Amino acid sequence: MRVSSRVLAFGLMAGCAMTTVSLALSHAAWAQAGAPNPGVAKSAAFGDGTLVAQMFSGGTIRDIRVEGVQRIEPTTVRSYLAVAPGDPFDPDRIDQSLKALFNTGLFADVVLKRDGDVLVVQVAENPIINRIAFEGNRRIEKENLEKEIQLRPRVVYTRTRVQSDVQRILDIYRRQGRFAATVEPKIIQLDQNRVDLVFEINEGVRTGVRSITFIGNEKFSDGTLREAIQTRESAWWRFMTSDDNYDPDRLNYDRDLLRRYYLKEGYADFRVVSAVAELTPDREDFVITFTVDEGERYKFGKMDISTSLKALDPEQLRSVLTTREGDWYNAQEVENTITKLSNSVGDLQYAFVDVRPRISRNRENQTIDIVYDIVEGPRVFVERIDVTGNVRTLDKVVRREMLLSEGDPFSTTKLRRSEQRIKDLGYFERVNITTAEGSAPDRTVMNVEVTEQSTGEISIGAGYSTSDGPLADFSIRERNLLGRGQDLRFGATVSGSRQEYDVSFTEPYFLDRDLSAGFDLFRITRDYQDESSFDEKSTGMALRMGYPLTENLRQRVYYQLQNTDITSVPSSASRYIQDQKGSRLTSLIGQELTYDRRNSRLSPTEGYYIRLTNDLAGLGGDARFLRNRLGAGYYLPLFDDSWVVSATGEVGYIVGIGDDGIALSDRFFIGGDTLRGFNTAGIGPRDLRTGDALGGTRYYRGSVEMSFPVGLPEEFGLKGHAFSDVGTLGKVDINDPLVPDDESLRLSVGTGLSWRSPFGPIRLDFAIPILKEDYDKKEIFRFSFGTRF
């Protein structure tokens, strides 16, 4: 007679002695007992465990029989057991065997039985995943979900792993603001103990931000503080951004942004008491409430510099201070001063320095005194630089942007600048440089962690400008070719007055030095019929090389070979234009020297630049001239970075070498974007008989502009502009009373509006000429629009 149970099987012959005893310990027993581990399960399932000890005690294991295996070899199962044939039956070792088998993750259930002197191991294998599918994922691509989950086809299926992957998928949707998303895993049984795993996803609606309110703010309005943080209230016009979706990580960042804003405005005691996000009853939006304690506003008190370094005179560093006594306290200016002091002391050949601001707060007078202590920092050297996360990009591409190398004195300032240089490459989504202890107290290891992003670009553009008319362009570009940091680009632009095709290649570190080298091939066709009654076709190539002279001073040298053809000249055109008809080969060398201290090259709000360009033609070809241009710009923020005053200017002249004079295609033309209020090529020498612009050999122009907010929320991307342009153009080698060449001053004033729209930048300018000549071509309204997809 045989009686069995998954927990306990015990058989007795009625009225006879015991013939078969079968005791089973199984995973099911643990689950039924609600126990966290096998030991507790044994006690919970069998009372005090006495019966278990009796049944698994005494005697010797003659054999071990494995049952229920399909894919796994019996020898593999036996290898996990803590007992073997010839060992005595030991309850503790049996218990260890049970734990070891379940810890493999290979089995859905395990039963250990004793059948006389045979240990029976019954297993139920976990299935193998055949494939993984996603259903209902419209907002997130399947490939992106597959990257996040841990399970893969041909991997053992376990419920624990599935639940872990469900949570990962939910985290992805929550990062997109979809807190109502649900994920239900389902399996489809197949033959040979295989399953298909399907994640059924209900993405739900985006969980927006219904309102953002502030409690405790008396100095600044709710609207002002909403502009200071990144999270935005949900609105229909924010369909191109996710800032109006609730994100707990962004909420923590908003706390820091509020703190920075108040510290920048002088509120040194400010703190965020709490930031609470509550889900609305309909579960569609969050209501966010910030409780703040503003404190009092402080001004800068006494500023001083002290140092323990010998031969370092603090007085020679006072000009570096950006903080001034009597100004409102600004924590950002304190950081800027620390950086500038560190750089200045480093330039004086002090390798190990540390600038520590010693702050004394006077609450009665509401002033903050600061003493910048320049002390000798720890003598620490860079032992090793480790780069991780760069799957495609070569290590050397990252290392060459580091301002520190193995063996150099460690510098926190250089570390921060190195991190910014790596970010500026545009190859990485995230860059983080940390330090760790080296093999000795005076050694440090720098860990550069990067997360790569796509560097291939295909762009299709469309737009309109007053000068070019409708335009369309196409370009394909790889900015990190083969992971070497090389830049390869092909582009084409077609508009109503211009067709341009170009191929360019740049090696940023030629010969493994900070020396950029590259070439360009181009063909450009321009329609100047409205301005000067001719078309111009240019075909050529250029070789170029650039290198830094200092951190902010860079030089570029180049050689250009270009064939220019003046065509489509009507008989009604100026005879000075007709004389230029035909082809002309130009062979020139040039250089460009740029000193740039702007905080951004694309949208500068502070700093200045100076640029000098020289071209010398005459190394073969038909053209012989020396062309020079000098330009500069200065940017000054007012109130905050949203109000910016800029002043730019440029002068240029070209002189002929020999008796050939300056060709039409080599002259300067001013107007349009270069002098608003006047048409393209709208000023300068002009044939009054035909109205054709003839260009000039000397010019100067300047512009002063104020950019300011228009009162709408910042995310609208709207800015107002008020400007004044001035300039002149002249000195053409033509002696004709009907070709005026007086170099008189032109001046215009105007206003403009720019919109950083979801479809691309749009700019409208209205300019009125104040100083002009009767023969100038005016342009009161100018419009430009462009976008790329």
Side-chain angles (χ1 to χ4, degrees):
M1 179 179 179
R2 185 170 180 268
V3 181
S4 65
S5 167
R6 295 195 67 189
V7 178
L8 176 64
F10 180 70
L12 290 176
M13 298 256 334
C16 302
M18 181 188 302
T19 58
T20 301
V21 177
S22 178
L23 178 68
L25 286 180
S26 77
H27 180 257
W30 305 348
Q32 292 168 4
N37 58 63
V40 177
K42 180 173 64 177
S43 177
F46 302 102
D48 60 3
T50 303
L51 184 58
V52 176
Q54 291 176 353
M55 296 309 169
F56 276 112
S57 298
T60 302
I61 299 175
R62 178 177 60 82
D63 190 17
I64 297 177
R65 187 168 72 246
V66 179
E67 300 176 351
V69 291
Q70 299 181 38
R71 301 181 314 275
I72 302 172
E73 293 293 329
T75 54
T76 301
V77 177
R78 294 189 184 101
S79 68
Y80 290 108
L81 300 178
V83 293
D87 292 343
F89 279 99
D90 184 341
D92 291 334
R93 295 172 69 181
I94 297 294
D95 188 55
Q96 293 174 16
S97 301
L98 187 63
K99 292 178 182 179
L101 287 172
F102 277 112
N103 287 339
T104 63
L106 298 173
F107 309 106
D109 198 9
V110 178
V111 177
L112 298 183
K113 297 180 181 180
R114 179 173 180 177
D115 188 3
D117 55 0
V118 176
L119 178 62
V120 180
V121 182
Q122 284 187 346
V123 297
E125 294 180 1
N126 273 322
I128 294 293
I129 297 175
N130 177 59
R131 71 182 184 94
I132 299 175
F134 301 91
E135 294 182 358
N137 55 310
R138 293 182 308 227
R139 305 291 180 179
I140 301 178
E141 296 292 334
K142 167 189 169 185
E143 292 76 13
N144 295 331
L145 293 174
E146 288 176 341
K147 292 176 183 177
E148 291 291 332
I149 65 174
Q150 300 295 314
L151 287 172
R152 296 286 184 269
R154 297 180 297 280
V155 170
V156 175
Y157 168 92
T158 67
R159 291 184 179 180
T160 302
R161 291 179 181 177
V162 171
Q163 291 303 318
S164 178
D165 282 347
V166 166
Q167 188 59 48
R168 287 188 176 93
I169 296 172
L170 289 174
D171 288 342
I172 296 174
Y173 278 98
R174 285 171 181 170
R175 287 198 294 269
Q176 290 199 353
R178 297 182 180 274
F179 283 78
T182 59
V183 179
E184 184 178 355
K186 293 187 177 180
I187 60 172
I188 301 174
Q189 296 285 351
L190 304 175
D191 57 357
Q192 299 177 354
N193 200 22
R194 296 175 303 133
V195 295
D196 285 344
L197 175 60
V198 181
F199 292 99
E200 292 187 355
I201 301 172
N202 181 2
E203 296 181 320
V205 297
R206 279 189 172 181
T207 313
V209 177
R210 185 166 297 179
S211 67
I212 302 174
T213 58
F214 297 86
I215 299 175
N217 55 311
E218 298 178 357
K219 308 301 181 182
F220 300 98
S221 66
D222 284 13
T224 300
L225 296 183
R226 289 189 192 105
E227 292 296 326
I229 63 177
Q230 184 177 352
T231 303
R232 295 288 184 260
E233 293 180 345
S234 298
W236 65 268
W237 62 79
R238 294 193 175 104
F239 61 91
M240 295 294 289
T241 179
S242 61
D243 288 345
D244 59 342
N245 298 328
Y246 172 70
D247 185 340
D249 293 333
R250 191 191 299 128
L251 190 63
N252 291 329
Y253 180 55
D254 288 337
R255 294 173 64 112
D256 187 55
L257 289 177
L258 281 174
R259 185 184 64 84
R260 293 183 195 177
Y261 179 80
Y262 270 91
L263 289 179
K264 186 177 178 181
E265 295 297 327
Y267 294 88
D269 297 331
F270 172 82
R271 65 190 182 96
V272 179
V273 178
S274 65
V276 179
E278 297 177 302
L279 194 61
T280 57
D282 57 12
R283 302 186 63 82
E284 292 185 358
D285 296 300
F286 276 90
V287 174
I288 299 176
T289 304
F290 291 95
T291 304
V292 301
D293 181 5
E294 294 180 320
E296 299 296 332
R297 192 179 189 188
Y298 289 80
K299 288 186 176 182
F300 282 116
K302 296 179 180 179
M303 302 289 113
D304 201 1
I305 301 175
S306 68
T307 179
S308 59
L309 300 177
K310 297 179 179 180
L312 179 61
D313 183 9
E315 294 300 321
Q316 69 186 51
L317 298 173
R318 284 196 172 275
S319 61
V320 177
L321 296 180
T322 62
T323 53
R324 298 287 184 268
E325 184 175 352
D327 291 346
W328 289 112
Y329 175 76
N330 188 331
Q332 184 59 51
E333 288 301 318
V334 176
E335 290 295 327
N336 294 340
T337 298
I338 293 173
T339 300
K340 290 184 177 181
L341 283 173
S342 300
N343 294 340
S344 298
V345 176
D347 293 340
L348 296 174
Q349 306 305 314
Y350 289 89
F352 302 97
V353 294
D354 191 9
V355 180
R356 303 172 184 173
R358 188 156 30 97
I359 297 177
S360 300
R361 187 172 305 176
N362 189 327
R363 299 186 185 277
E364 293 182 2
N365 298 330
Q366 295 180 7
T367 59
I368 294 179
D369 300 334
I370 302 179
V371 177
Y372 296 96
D373 288 332
I374 304 175
V375 299
E376 185 174 4
R379 300 181 66 85
V380 178
F381 297 87
V382 178
E383 178 180 8
R384 192 174 72 253
I385 299 176
D386 295 331
V387 182
T388 59
N390 53 320
V391 178
R392 180 166 173 266
T393 306
L394 301 182
D395 273 14
K396 68 177 184 179
V397 174
V398 179
R399 289 177 177 273
R400 65 197 184 194
E401 299 300 325
M402 298 290 295
L403 298 177
L404 293 166
S405 301
E406 281 87 349
D408 287 352
F410 176 76
S411 169
T412 303
T413 302
K414 289 186 177 180
L415 182 147
R416 289 197 296 263
R417 285 158 56 194
S418 298
E419 185 173 276
Q420 187 60 48
R421 284 165 60 96
I422 297 173
K423 291 178 180 177
D424 289 343
L425 290 174
Y427 305 159
F428 307 108
E429 179 181 348
R430 185 179 63 86
V431 179
N432 184 35
I433 302 181
T434 58
T435 59
E437 294 182 359
S439 58
D442 63 344
R443 297 287 185 268
T444 186
V445 176
M446 298 177 61
N447 298 308
V448 183
E449 301 178 17
V450 299
T451 302
E452 291 183 321
Q453 63 183 7
S454 174
T455 55
E457 300 174 1
I458 297 179
S459 67
I460 302 174
Y464 177 86
S465 72
T466 308
S467 57
D468 291 329
L471 62 86
D473 68 22
F474 169 82
S475 70
I476 181 170
R477 181 184 184 189
E478 174 53 59
R479 296 181 289 109
N480 188 16
L481 188 65
L482 302 178
R484 299 177 178 273
Q486 299 165 336
D487 192 330
L488 178 63
R489 179 186 181 277
F490 167 77
T493 302
V494 178
S495 71
S497 61
R498 176 168 56 98
Q499 294 82 46
E500 182 174 344
Y501 307 93
D502 65 272
V503 177
S504 66
F505 174 81
T506 302
E507 168 57 68
Y509 270 75
F510 186 58
L511 300 177
D512 288 331
R513 303 191 178 199
D514 192 0
L515 183 71
S516 65
F519 67 84
D520 302 284
L521 303 174
F522 58 88
R523 179 177 179 83
I524 305 171
T525 302
R526 293 187 177 94
D527 180 354
Y528 291 123
Q529 293 292 336
D530 293 338
E531 296 86 2
S532 299
S533 301
F534 71 91
D535 291 343
E536 179 185 272
K537 295 181 180 178
S538 300
T539 305
M541 54 82 65
L543 301 174
R544 47 189 162 75
M545 184 174 294
Y547 46 87
L549 299 176
T550 66
E551 183 178 356
N552 300 302
L553 181 63
R554 190 171 185 89
Q555 186 173 36
R556 183 171 67 97
V557 296
Y558 49 88
Y559 169 76
Q560 182 172 307
L561 183 65
Q562 174 178 319
N563 183 74
T564 303
D565 193 10
I566 303 295
T567 63
S568 303
V569 179
S571 58
S572 59
S574 168
R575 62 186 178 92
Y576 302 110
I577 301 292
Q578 297 185 28
D579 291 343
Q580 297 288 323
K581 189 176 180 179
S583 297
R584 185 180 181 89
L585 183 65
T586 302
S587 174
L588 66 81
I589 58 172
Q591 75 86 33
E592 182 180 87
L593 194 64
T594 303
Y595 186 73
D596 195 342
R597 296 299 299 267
R598 293 174 294 178
N599 60 349
S600 171
R601 294 183 180 181
L602 298 178
S603 301
T605 60
E606 186 176 5
Y608 63 92
Y609 74 90
I610 303 173
R611 182 177 295 117
L612 173 65
T613 306
N614 308 101
D615 296 329
L616 176 63
L619 304 177
D622 306 315
R624 287 169 175 77
F625 60 81
L626 175 64
R627 182 168 54 203
N628 307 280
R629 282 167 289 184
L630 176 64
Y634 183 77
Y635 300 85
L636 177 66
L638 299 179
F639 311 117
D640 55 41
D641 289 347
S642 60
W643 291 74
V644 179
V645 174
S646 63
T648 58
E650 188 177 49
V651 297
Y653 70 93
I654 181 172
V655 294
I657 300 175
D659 301 327
D660 295 339
I662 305 300
L664 181 67
S665 59
D666 299 324
R667 296 173 192 163
F668 300 117
F669 291 86
I670 299 295
D673 291 328
T674 56
L675 188 62
R676 288 164 290 191
F678 297 89
N679 207 341
T680 302
I683 71 168
R686 185 181 303 275
D687 191 334
L688 299 182
R689 290 177 288 259
T690 62
D692 292 330
L694 303 178
T697 62
R698 187 168 68 188
Y699 77 94
Y700 67 83
R701 64 182 182 89
S703 178
V704 177
E705 180 168 307
M706 164 77 83
S707 298
F708 52 88
V710 295
L712 294 174
E714 184 179 353
E715 65 267 24
F716 272 54
L718 282 170
K719 275 195 173 184
H721 308 273
F723 58 84
S724 178
D725 293 350
V726 63
T728 188
L729 173 68
K731 288 299 179 183
V732 67
D733 189 19
I734 297 176
N735 187 12
D736 187 333
L738 292 179
V739 179
D741 188 10
D742 49 17
E743 289 189 286
S744 60
L745 189 68
R746 275 75 162 184
L747 174 69
S748 66
V749 296
T751 61
L753 184 68
S754 62
W755 180 29
R756 194 176 63 251
S757 76
F759 312 103
I762 297 176
R763 170 113 184 197
L764 299 89
D765 285 320
F766 296 88
I768 300 176
I770 303 299
L771 298 178
K772 58 183 179 61
E773 296 297 332
D774 294 338
Y775 53 84
D776 290 337
K777 301 292 186 180
K778 296 183 295 183
E779 182 182 72
I780 305 300
F781 170 74
R782 189 166 188 82
F783 170 78
S784 64
F785 157 68
T787 187
R788 278 181 171 78
F789 306 94

